[in-house]
Coordinates of all heavy atoms in Angstrom, one line a residue:
M181 N 60.5 -28.0 21.8 CA 60.2 -28.8 23.0 C 61.1 -30.0 23.0 O 61.3 -30.7 22.0 CB 58.7 -29.2 23.0 CG 58.3 -30.0 24.2 SD 56.6 -30.5 24.2 CE 55.7 -29.0 24.7
S182 N 61.7 -30.3 24.2 CA 62.5 -31.5 24.3 C 61.7 -32.7 24.5 O 60.5 -32.6 24.8 CB 63.5 -31.3 25.5 OG 62.7 -31.4 26.7
L183 N 62.3 -33.9 24.3 CA 61.5 -35.1 24.6 C 61.1 -35.2 26.0 O 60.0 -35.7 26.3 CB 62.4 -36.3 24.2 CG 62.6 -36.5 22.7 CD1 63.5 -37.8 22.5 CD2 61.3 -36.7 21.9
D184 N 61.9 -34.7 27.0 CA 61.5 -34.7 28.4 C 60.3 -33.9 28.6 O 59.3 -34.2 29.3 CB 62.7 -34.3 29.3 CG 63.8 -35.3 29.3 OD1 63.5 -36.5 29.1 OD2 64.9 -34.9 29.6
A185 N 60.3 -32.7 28.0 CA 59.2 -31.8 28.1 C 57.9 -32.3 27.5 O 56.8 -32.2 28.0 CB 59.5 -30.4 27.5
L186 N 58.1 -33.0 26.3 CA 56.9 -33.6 25.7 C 56.4 -34.7 26.6 O 55.2 -34.9 26.7 CB 57.3 -34.2 24.3 CG 56.2 -34.8 23.5 CD1 55.1 -33.9 23.3 CD2 56.8 -35.4 22.2
G187 N 57.3 -35.5 27.2 CA 56.8 -36.6 28.1 C 56.1 -36.1 29.3 O 55.1 -36.6 29.7
M188 N 56.5 -34.9 29.8 CA 55.8 -34.3 30.9 C 54.4 -33.8 30.5 O 53.5 -34.0 31.2 CB 56.6 -33.2 31.5 CG 57.9 -33.6 32.3 SD 58.9 -32.3 32.9 CE 57.8 -31.4 33.9
W189 N 54.4 -33.3 29.3 CA 53.1 -32.8 28.7 C 52.1 -34.0 28.5 O 50.9 -33.9 28.8 CB 53.3 -32.0 27.4 CG 52.1 -31.4 26.9 CD1 51.5 -30.2 27.3 CD2 51.3 -31.8 25.7 NE1 50.4 -30.0 26.5 CE2 50.3 -30.9 25.6 CE3 51.4 -32.9 24.9 CZ2 49.3 -31.1 24.5 CZ3 50.5 -33.1 23.9 CH2 49.5 -32.2 23.7
L190 N 52.6 -35.1 28.0 CA 51.8 -36.3 27.8 C 51.6 -37.1 29.1 O 50.8 -38.0 29.1 CB 52.5 -37.2 26.7 CG 52.5 -36.6 25.3 CD1 53.3 -37.5 24.4 CD2 51.0 -36.6 24.8
Q191 N 52.4 -36.8 30.1 CA 52.4 -37.5 31.4 C 52.8 -39.0 31.2 O 52.2 -39.9 31.8 CB 51.0 -37.4 32.0 CG 50.7 -36.0 32.4 CD 49.3 -35.8 33.0 OE1 48.5 -36.7 33.1 NE2 49.1 -34.6 33.6
Q192 N 53.8 -39.2 30.3 CA 54.3 -40.5 30.1 C 55.7 -40.4 29.5 O 56.0 -39.4 28.8 CB 53.4 -41.4 29.3 CG 53.3 -40.9 27.9 CD 52.3 -41.8 27.1 OE1 51.3 -42.3 27.6 NE2 52.5 -41.9 25.8
P193 N 56.6 -41.4 29.7 CA 57.9 -41.3 29.1 C 57.9 -41.3 27.5 O 57.0 -41.9 26.9 CB 58.6 -42.5 29.6 CG 57.8 -43.1 30.6 CD 56.4 -42.6 30.5
V194 N 58.7 -40.5 26.9 CA 58.8 -40.4 25.5 C 60.3 -40.6 25.1 O 61.2 -40.0 25.7 CB 58.3 -39.0 25.0 CG1 58.5 -38.8 23.5 CG2 56.9 -38.8 25.4
G195 N 60.5 -41.3 24.0 CA 61.8 -41.5 23.5 C 61.8 -41.8 22.0 O 60.7 -42.1 21.5
L196 N 62.9 -41.7 21.4 CA 63.0 -42.0 19.9 C 63.1 -43.5 19.8 O 63.8 -44.2 20.5 CB 64.2 -41.3 19.3 CG 64.1 -39.8 19.3 CD1 65.4 -39.3 18.7 CD2 62.9 -39.3 18.6
A197 N 62.4 -44.1 18.8 CA 62.4 -45.5 18.6 C 63.7 -45.8 17.7 O 64.1 -45.0 16.9 CB 61.2 -46.0 17.8
S198 N 64.2 -47.0 17.9 CA 65.3 -47.4 17.0 C 64.7 -47.9 15.7 O 63.5 -48.1 15.5 CB 66.1 -48.6 17.6 OG 65.2 -49.7 17.7
E199 N 65.6 -48.0 14.7 CA 65.1 -48.4 13.4 C 64.6 -49.8 13.5 O 63.6 -50.2 12.8 CB 66.3 -48.4 12.3 CG 65.8 -48.4 10.9 CD 66.8 -48.0 9.9 OE1 67.7 -48.8 9.6 OE2 66.8 -46.8 9.5
A200 N 65.1 -50.7 14.3 CA 64.6 -52.0 14.5 C 63.2 -52.0 15.1 O 62.3 -52.8 14.7 CB 65.6 -52.8 15.4
E201 N 63.0 -51.1 16.1 CA 61.7 -51.0 16.7 C 60.7 -50.5 15.7 O 59.5 -51.0 15.6 CB 61.7 -50.1 17.9 CG 62.5 -50.6 19.1 CD 62.7 -49.6 20.1 OE1 63.0 -48.4 19.8 OE2 62.6 -50.0 21.3
I202 N 61.1 -49.5 14.8 CA 60.2 -49.0 13.8 C 59.8 -50.1 12.8 O 58.6 -50.2 12.4 CB 60.9 -47.8 13.1 CG1 61.0 -46.6 14.0 CG2 60.1 -47.5 11.8 CD1 61.9 -45.6 13.5
A203 N 60.7 -50.9 12.5 CA 60.5 -52.0 11.5 C 59.4 -53.0 12.0 O 58.7 -53.6 11.2 CB 61.8 -52.7 11.1
T204 N 59.4 -53.2 13.3 CA 58.4 -54.2 13.9 C 57.0 -53.6 13.9 O 56.0 -54.4 13.9 CB 58.8 -54.7 15.3 OG1 58.7 -53.5 16.2 CG2 60.2 -55.3 15.3
V205 N 56.9 -52.3 13.9 CA 55.5 -51.7 14.0 C 55.0 -51.4 12.6 O 53.9 -51.7 12.3 CB 55.6 -50.4 14.8 CG1 54.2 -49.6 14.7 CG2 56.0 -50.6 16.2
F206 N 55.9 -50.8 11.7 CA 55.4 -50.4 10.4 C 55.9 -51.5 9.4 O 56.7 -51.2 8.5 CB 56.0 -49.0 10.0 CG 55.6 -48.0 11.1 CD1 56.6 -47.4 11.9 CD2 54.3 -47.6 11.2 CE1 56.2 -46.5 12.8 CE2 53.9 -46.6 12.1 CZ 54.9 -46.1 12.9
T207 N 55.4 -52.7 9.5 CA 55.8 -53.8 8.6 C 55.5 -53.6 7.2 O 56.1 -54.2 6.3 CB 55.2 -55.1 9.1 OG1 53.8 -55.0 9.1 CG2 55.7 -55.4 10.6
D208 N 54.5 -52.7 6.9 CA 54.1 -52.5 5.5 C 54.8 -51.3 4.9 O 54.5 -50.9 3.8 CB 52.6 -52.3 5.4 CG 52.1 -51.2 6.2 OD1 52.8 -50.8 7.2 OD2 51.0 -50.7 5.9
C209 N 55.8 -50.8 5.6 CA 56.6 -49.6 5.1 C 58.0 -50.0 4.9 O 58.5 -50.9 5.4 CB 56.5 -48.5 6.2 SG 54.9 -47.9 6.5
A210 N 58.7 -49.2 4.1 CA 60.1 -49.4 3.8 C 60.9 -49.1 5.1 O 60.4 -48.4 6.0 CB 60.6 -48.4 2.8
L211 N 62.0 -49.8 5.3 CA 62.8 -49.7 6.5 C 63.1 -48.2 6.8 O 63.7 -47.5 5.9 CB 64.1 -50.5 6.4 CG 65.0 -50.5 7.6 CD1 64.3 -51.2 8.7 CD2 66.3 -51.2 7.3
G212 N 62.8 -47.7 8.0 CA 63.0 -46.4 8.4 C 61.9 -45.4 8.0 O 62.0 -44.2 8.5
A213 N 61.0 -45.8 7.2 CA 59.9 -44.9 6.8 C 58.8 -44.9 7.9 O 58.4 -46.0 8.4 CB 59.3 -45.3 5.5
I214 N 58.3 -43.8 8.3 CA 57.3 -43.7 9.3 C 56.1 -42.9 8.7 O 56.2 -41.7 8.5 CB 57.8 -43.0 10.6 CG1 59.0 -43.8 11.1 CG2 56.7 -42.9 11.6 CD1 59.7 -43.0 12.2
P215 N 54.9 -43.5 8.6 CA 53.8 -42.7 8.1 C 53.3 -41.8 9.2 O 53.4 -42.0 10.4 CB 52.7 -43.8 7.8 CG 53.1 -45.0 8.6 CD 54.6 -44.9 8.8
P216 N 52.6 -40.6 8.8 CA 52.2 -39.6 9.8 C 50.9 -40.0 10.5 O 50.6 -39.3 11.5 CB 52.0 -38.4 8.9 CG 51.6 -39.0 7.6 CD 52.4 -40.2 7.4
V217 N 50.2 -41.0 10.1 CA 48.9 -41.3 10.7 C 49.1 -42.4 11.7 O 48.9 -43.6 11.4 CB 47.8 -41.6 9.6 CG1 46.5 -41.8 10.3 CG2 47.8 -40.5 8.6
A218 N 49.5 -42.1 12.9 CA 49.8 -43.1 13.9 C 48.6 -43.9 14.3 O 48.8 -45.1 14.6 CB 50.4 -42.4 15.1
G219 N 47.4 -43.3 14.3 CA 46.2 -44.0 14.7 C 45.9 -45.2 13.9 O 45.4 -46.2 14.4
A220 N 46.4 -45.2 12.6 CA 46.2 -46.4 11.8 C 47.0 -47.6 12.3 O 46.7 -48.7 11.9 CB 46.6 -46.1 10.3
Y221 N 47.9 -47.4 13.1 CA 48.8 -48.4 13.6 C 48.6 -48.6 15.2 O 49.3 -49.3 15.8 CB 50.3 -48.1 13.4 CG 50.6 -48.1 11.9 CD1 50.4 -47.0 11.1 CD2 51.0 -49.3 11.3 CE1 50.7 -47.1 9.7 CE2 51.3 -49.4 10.0 CZ 51.1 -48.2 9.2 OH 51.4 -48.3 7.8
G222 N 47.5 -48.0 15.7 CA 47.2 -48.1 17.1 C 48.2 -47.3 18.0 O 48.3 -47.7 19.2
L223 N 48.8 -46.3 17.5 CA 49.8 -45.5 18.2 C 49.2 -44.2 18.5 O 48.4 -43.6 17.8 CB 51.1 -45.4 17.4 CG 51.8 -46.7 17.0 CD1 52.9 -46.3 16.1 CD2 52.3 -47.4 18.3
Q224 N 49.7 -43.6 19.6 CA 49.4 -42.2 20.0 C 50.3 -41.3 19.2 O 51.5 -41.6 19.0 CB 49.6 -42.0 21.5 CG 49.2 -40.6 22.0 CD 49.4 -40.5 23.5 OE1 49.9 -41.4 24.1 NE2 48.9 -39.4 24.0
A225 N 49.8 -40.1 18.8 CA 50.6 -39.1 18.1 C 50.3 -37.7 18.7 O 49.3 -37.5 19.4 CB 50.3 -39.1 16.7
V226 N 51.2 -36.8 18.5 CA 51.0 -35.4 18.8 C 51.3 -34.6 17.5 O 52.3 -34.8 16.9 CB 51.9 -34.9 19.9 CG1 51.7 -33.4 20.2 CG2 51.7 -35.7 21.2
M227 N 50.3 -33.7 17.1 CA 50.5 -32.9 15.9 C 51.1 -31.6 16.3 O 50.6 -30.9 17.2 CB 49.2 -32.7 15.2 CG 49.4 -32.0 13.8 SD 47.8 -31.9 13.0 CE 47.7 -30.1 12.9
D228 N 52.2 -31.2 15.6 CA 52.8 -29.9 15.9 C 51.9 -28.8 15.4 O 51.4 -28.8 14.3 CB 54.1 -29.8 15.2 CG 55.0 -28.6 15.7 OD1 54.5 -27.5 15.5 OD2 56.0 -28.9 16.3
D229 N 51.7 -27.8 16.2 CA 50.8 -26.6 15.9 C 51.3 -25.9 14.6 O 50.5 -25.3 13.9 CB 50.8 -25.6 17.0 CG 50.1 -26.1 18.2 OD1 49.2 -26.9 18.1 OD2 50.4 -25.6 19.4
S230 N 52.6 -26.0 14.3 CA 53.1 -25.3 13.1 C 52.5 -25.9 11.8 O 52.6 -25.3 10.7 CB 54.6 -25.4 13.0 OG 55.1 -26.7 12.8
L231 N 51.8 -27.0 11.8 CA 51.2 -27.6 10.6 C 49.8 -27.0 10.4 O 49.2 -27.2 9.3 CB 51.0 -29.1 10.8 CG 52.3 -29.9 10.8 CD1 52.1 -31.3 11.1 CD2 53.1 -29.7 9.5
E232 N 49.3 -26.1 11.3 CA 48.0 -25.5 11.1 C 48.2 -24.4 10.1 O 49.2 -23.7 10.0 CB 47.6 -24.9 12.4 CG 47.2 -25.9 13.5 CD 45.9 -26.6 13.2 OE1 45.1 -26.2 12.4 OE2 45.8 -27.7 13.8
G233 N 47.1 -24.2 9.3 CA 47.0 -23.0 8.4 C 47.7 -23.2 7.0 O 47.6 -22.3 6.2
F234 N 48.2 -24.3 6.7 CA 48.8 -24.5 5.4 C 47.7 -25.0 4.4 O 46.8 -25.7 4.8 CB 49.9 -25.6 5.4 CG 51.2 -25.1 6.0 CD1 51.5 -25.4 7.3 CD2 52.1 -24.4 5.2 CE1 52.7 -24.9 7.9 CE2 53.3 -23.9 5.8 CZ 53.6 -24.2 7.1
D235 N 47.8 -24.5 3.2 CA 46.9 -25.0 2.2 C 47.0 -26.4 1.8 O 46.1 -27.1 1.6 CB 47.0 -24.2 0.9 CG 46.6 -22.7 1.1 OD1 45.8 -22.4 2.0 OD2 47.2 -21.8 0.3
D236 N 48.3 -26.9 1.8 CA 48.6 -28.3 1.5 C 49.6 -28.8 2.5 O 50.5 -28.1 3.0 CB 49.2 -28.4 0.1 CG 48.2 -28.0 -0.9 OD1 47.1 -28.7 -1.0 OD2 48.5 -27.1 -1.7
I237 N 49.5 -30.1 2.8 CA 50.4 -30.8 3.7 C 51.0 -32.0 2.9 O 50.2 -32.8 2.3 CB 49.8 -31.4 5.0 CG1 49.1 -30.3 5.8 CG2 50.7 -32.2 5.8 CD1 50.1 -29.3 6.5
Y238 N 52.3 -32.1 2.8 CA 53.0 -33.2 2.1 C 53.6 -34.1 3.2 O 54.2 -33.7 4.1 CB 54.0 -32.7 1.2 CG 53.5 -31.9 0.1 CD1 53.2 -30.5 0.2 CD2 53.2 -32.5 -1.2 CE1 52.7 -29.8 -0.8 CE2 52.7 -31.7 -2.2 CZ 52.4 -30.4 -2.0 OH 51.9 -29.6 -3.0
F239 N 53.5 -35.5 2.9 CA 54.2 -36.4 3.8 C 54.6 -37.7 3.1 O 54.1 -38.0 2.1 CB 53.3 -36.7 5.1 CG 51.9 -37.1 4.7 CD1 51.6 -38.5 4.5 CD2 50.9 -36.2 4.7 CE1 50.3 -38.9 4.2 CE2 49.6 -36.6 4.4 CZ 49.3 -37.9 4.2
E240 N 55.5 -38.3 3.7 CA 56.0 -39.6 3.2 C 54.9 -40.6 3.3 O 54.2 -40.7 4.2 CB 57.2 -40.0 4.1 CG 58.1 -41.1 3.5 CD 59.3 -41.3 4.3 OE1 59.2 -42.1 5.3 OE2 60.4 -40.7 4.0
S241 N 54.9 -41.5 2.3 CA 53.8 -42.5 2.2 C 54.1 -43.8 2.8 O 53.2 -44.7 2.7 CB 53.4 -42.6 0.7 OG 54.4 -43.3 0.0
G242 N 55.2 -44.0 3.3 CA 55.6 -45.4 3.8 C 56.8 -45.9 3.1 O 57.3 -47.0 3.4
D243 N 57.3 -45.2 2.1 CA 58.6 -45.5 1.5 C 59.4 -44.2 1.4 O 58.9 -43.2 1.9 CB 58.4 -46.2 0.1 CG 57.7 -45.3 -0.9 OD1 57.9 -44.1 -0.9 OD2 56.9 -45.8 -1.7
H244 N 60.5 -44.2 0.8 CA 61.4 -43.0 0.8 C 61.3 -42.4 -0.6 O 62.2 -41.5 -0.9 CB 62.8 -43.4 1.2 CG 62.9 -43.9 2.5 ND1 62.7 -43.1 3.7 CD2 63.2 -45.2 3.0 CE1 62.9 -43.9 4.7 NE2 63.2 -45.1 4.4
R245 N 60.4 -42.8 -1.4 CA 60.3 -42.2 -2.8 C 59.0 -41.6 -3.1 O 58.9 -40.8 -4.1 CB 60.6 -43.3 -3.8 CG 62.0 -43.9 -3.8 CD 62.2 -45.0 -4.7 NE 61.7 -46.2 -3.9 CZ 61.3 -47.3 -4.5 NH1 61.3 -47.5 -5.7 NH2 60.9 -48.3 -3.7
T246 N 57.9 -41.9 -2.4 CA 56.6 -41.4 -2.7 C 56.1 -40.4 -1.7 O 56.1 -40.6 -0.5 CB 55.6 -42.6 -2.8 OG1 56.1 -43.6 -3.6 CG2 54.3 -42.1 -3.3
L247 N 55.7 -39.2 -2.2 CA 55.2 -38.1 -1.4 C 53.7 -38.0 -1.6 O 53.3 -38.0 -2.8 CB 55.9 -36.8 -1.8 CG 55.9 -35.7 -0.9 CD1 56.5 -36.0 0.5 CD2 56.6 -34.5 -1.5
L248 N 53.0 -37.9 -0.6 CA 51.5 -37.7 -0.7 C 51.2 -36.3 -0.3 O 51.8 -35.7 0.5 CB 50.8 -38.7 0.3 CG 50.9 -40.2 0.0 CD1 50.2 -41.0 1.1 CD2 50.4 -40.5 -1.4
R249 N 50.1 -35.8 -0.9 CA 49.6 -34.4 -0.6 C 48.2 -34.5 -0.1 O 47.3 -35.2 -0.8 CB 49.7 -33.5 -1.8 CG 49.2 -32.1 -1.5 CD 49.1 -31.3 -2.8 NE 48.1 -31.8 -3.7 CZ 46.8 -31.5 -3.7 NH1 46.3 -30.8 -2.8 NH2 46.0 -32.1 -4.6
L250 N 47.9 -33.8 0.9 CA 46.5 -33.6 1.4 C 46.3 -32.1 1.5 O 47.2 -31.4 1.9 CB 46.2 -34.2 2.8 CG 45.9 -35.7 2.9 CD1 45.7 -36.1 4.3 CD2 44.7 -36.1 2.1
N251 N 45.1 -31.6 1.2 CA 44.9 -30.2 1.4 C 44.8 -30.1 2.9 O 44.5 -31.0 3.7 CB 43.7 -29.7 0.7 CG 42.3 -30.1 1.2 OD1 42.1 -30.1 2.4 ND2 41.5 -30.5 0.3
G252 N 45.1 -28.9 3.4 CA 45.2 -28.6 4.8 C 44.0 -28.9 5.6 O 44.0 -29.4 6.7
R253 N 42.8 -28.6 5.0 CA 41.5 -28.9 5.6 C 41.3 -30.4 5.9 O 40.9 -30.8 6.9 CB 40.4 -28.3 4.8 CG 39.0 -28.4 5.4 CD 37.9 -27.7 4.6 NE 37.8 -28.5 3.3 CZ 38.1 -28.1 2.1 NH1 38.7 -26.9 1.9 NH2 37.9 -28.8 1.1
E254 N 41.6 -31.2 4.9 CA 41.5 -32.6 5.0 C 42.5 -33.2 6.0 O 42.2 -34.1 6.8 CB 41.6 -33.3 3.6 CG 40.5 -33.0 2.7 CD 39.1 -33.5 3.3 OE1 39.1 -34.7 3.8 OE2 38.2 -32.7 3.2
F255 N 43.7 -32.7 6.0 CA 44.7 -33.2 6.9 C 44.3 -32.8 8.4 O 44.4 -33.7 9.3 CB 46.1 -32.5 6.7 CG 47.2 -33.0 7.6 CD1 47.7 -34.3 7.4 CD2 47.6 -32.3 8.6 CE1 48.7 -34.8 8.2 CE2 48.6 -32.7 9.5 CZ 49.2 -34.0 9.2
H256 N 43.7 -31.6 8.6 CA 43.3 -31.2 9.9 C 42.1 -32.1 10.3 O 42.0 -32.5 11.5 CB 42.8 -29.8 9.9 CG 42.4 -29.2 11.2 ND1 43.2 -29.4 12.3 CD2 41.3 -28.5 11.6 CE1 42.6 -28.8 13.3 NE2 41.4 -28.3 12.9
R257 N 41.2 -32.5 9.4 CA 40.1 -33.4 9.7 C 40.6 -34.7 10.1 O 40.2 -35.4 11.1 CB 39.1 -33.5 8.5 CG 37.9 -34.2 8.8 CD 36.9 -34.1 7.7 NE 37.4 -34.8 6.5 CZ 37.3 -36.1 6.2 NH1 36.8 -36.9 7.1 NH2 37.7 -36.6 5.1
L258 N 41.6 -35.2 9.4 CA 42.2 -36.5 9.6 C 42.9 -36.6 11.0 O 42.9 -37.6 11.7 CB 43.3 -36.8 8.6 CG 44.0 -38.2 8.6 CD1 43.0 -39.3 8.4 CD2 45.1 -38.2 7.6
M259 N 43.4 -35.4 11.4 CA 44.2 -35.3 12.7 C 43.4 -34.7 13.8 O 43.9 -34.3 14.9 CB 45.5 -34.6 12.5 CG 46.4 -35.1 11.4 SD 46.9 -36.8 11.7 CE 48.3 -36.5 12.8
A260 N 42.1 -34.6 13.7 CA 41.2 -33.9 14.6 C 41.3 -34.4 16.0 O 41.2 -33.7 17.0 CB 39.8 -33.8 14.1
D261 N 41.4 -35.7 16.2 CA 41.4 -36.4 17.5 C 42.8 -36.5 18.1 O 42.9 -37.1 19.2 CB 40.7 -37.8 17.4 CG 39.3 -37.7 17.1 OD1 38.6 -36.6 17.4 OD2 38.7 -38.6 16.5
V262 N 43.8 -36.0 17.4 CA 45.2 -36.1 17.8 C 45.5 -34.8 18.6 O 45.1 -33.7 18.2 CB 46.1 -36.2 16.6 CG1 47.6 -36.1 17.0 CG2 45.8 -37.4 15.8
P263 N 46.1 -35.0 19.8 CA 46.5 -33.8 20.6 C 47.4 -32.9 19.8 O 48.3 -33.4 19.0 CB 47.2 -34.4 21.8 CG 47.0 -35.8 21.8 CD 46.5 -36.2 20.5
H264 N 47.3 -31.6 20.0 CA 48.1 -30.6 19.3 C 48.9 -29.9 20.3 O 48.4 -29.6 21.4 CB 47.2 -29.6 18.5 CG 46.4 -30.2 17.4 ND1 46.1 -29.4 16.3 CD2 45.9 -31.4 17.2 CE1 45.4 -30.2 15.5 NE2 45.2 -31.4 16.0
A265 N 50.2 -29.6 19.9 CA 51.1 -28.8 20.8 C 52.2 -28.2 20.0 O 52.4 -28.7 18.8 CB 51.7 -29.7 21.9
H266 N 52.8 -27.2 20.5 CA 54.0 -26.7 19.9 C 55.2 -27.6 20.3 O 55.8 -27.4 21.4 CB 54.3 -25.2 20.2 CG 55.4 -24.6 19.6 ND1 55.5 -24.4 18.2 CD2 56.7 -24.3 20.0 CE1 56.6 -23.9 17.9 NE2 57.4 -23.9 19.0
I267 N 55.6 -28.5 19.4 CA 56.6 -29.5 19.8 C 57.9 -29.3 19.0 O 58.9 -29.8 19.3 CB 56.1 -31.0 19.8 CG1 55.6 -31.3 18.4 CG2 55.1 -31.2 20.8 CD1 55.3 -32.8 18.2
G268 N 57.7 -28.7 17.8 CA 58.9 -28.6 16.9 C 59.8 -27.5 17.4 O 59.5 -26.6 18.1
A269 N 61.1 -27.6 16.9 CA 62.1 -26.5 17.2 C 62.8 -26.2 16.0 O 63.2 -27.2 15.2 CB 63.0 -27.0 18.3
R270 N 63.1 -25.0 15.7 CA 63.9 -24.6 14.6 C 65.4 -24.6 14.9 O 65.7 -24.3 16.0 CB 63.5 -23.2 14.1 CG 62.2 -23.1 13.5 CD 62.0 -21.7 12.9 NE 60.7 -21.6 12.3 CZ 60.5 -21.7 11.0 NH1 61.5 -21.9 10.2 NH2 59.3 -21.6 10.5
N271 N 66.2 -25.1 14.0 CA 67.6 -25.1 14.2 C 68.1 -23.7 13.8 O 67.7 -23.1 12.8 CB 68.3 -26.1 13.3 CG 68.0 -27.5 13.7 OD1 67.8 -27.8 14.9 ND2 68.1 -28.4 12.8
H272 N 68.9 -23.1 14.7 CA 69.4 -21.7 14.4 C 70.9 -21.8 14.1 O 71.6 -22.5 14.6 CB 69.1 -20.8 15.6 CG 67.7 -20.6 15.8 ND1 66.9 -19.8 15.0 CD2 66.8 -21.1 16.7 CE1 65.7 -19.8 15.5 NE2 65.6 -20.6 16.5

């Protein structure tokens, strides 16, 4: 899904944030690191449907060296109130 299509689905403009914009929101994270739990920062998120059904989900913890693991059931519970859509695209 393109950013324009995602914006239409969300009914609001969508764009990529610059590294400077990211740094002002995620002040407790390393420069350029974006945690997956947007709600903790008062932000809206969309979870890609492709994350459904995995036994484990791994994600960056707020730096570029530490990886966190949640089992799929707990990740799904954590993201239960987040809208889900097929937003990812595979590179061919």
Side-chain angles (χ1 to χ4, degrees):
M181 179 180 285
S182 71
L183 289 179
D184 289 337
L186 180 59
M188 288 177 60
W189 186 77
L190 290 170
Q191 299 179 348
Q192 64 185 34
V194 174
L196 297 177
S198 70
E199 197 164 84
E201 290 169 322
I202 291 168
T204 65
V205 175
F206 304 112
T207 57
D208 58 337
C209 298
L211 186 62
I214 303 172
V217 185
Y221 294 86
L223 300 173
Q224 183 179 8
V226 177
M227 186 177 117
D228 194 295
D229 289 335
S230 68
L231 294 174
E232 294 289 343
F234 284 99
D235 293 333
D236 295 300
I237 302 289
Y238 294 85
F239 52 88
E240 196 173 84
S241 67
D243 62 36
H244 299 292
R245 293 174 277 156
T246 309
L247 196 61
L248 297 177
R249 178 189 64 85
L250 278 179
N251 72 47
R253 186 179 66 251
E254 290 300 314
F255 183 76
H256 185 50
R257 188 173 63 82
L258 181 67
M259 303 300 275
D261 295 334
V262 173
H264 294 211
H266 180 71
I267 58 173
R270 290 187 179 262
N271 291 334
H272 295 285

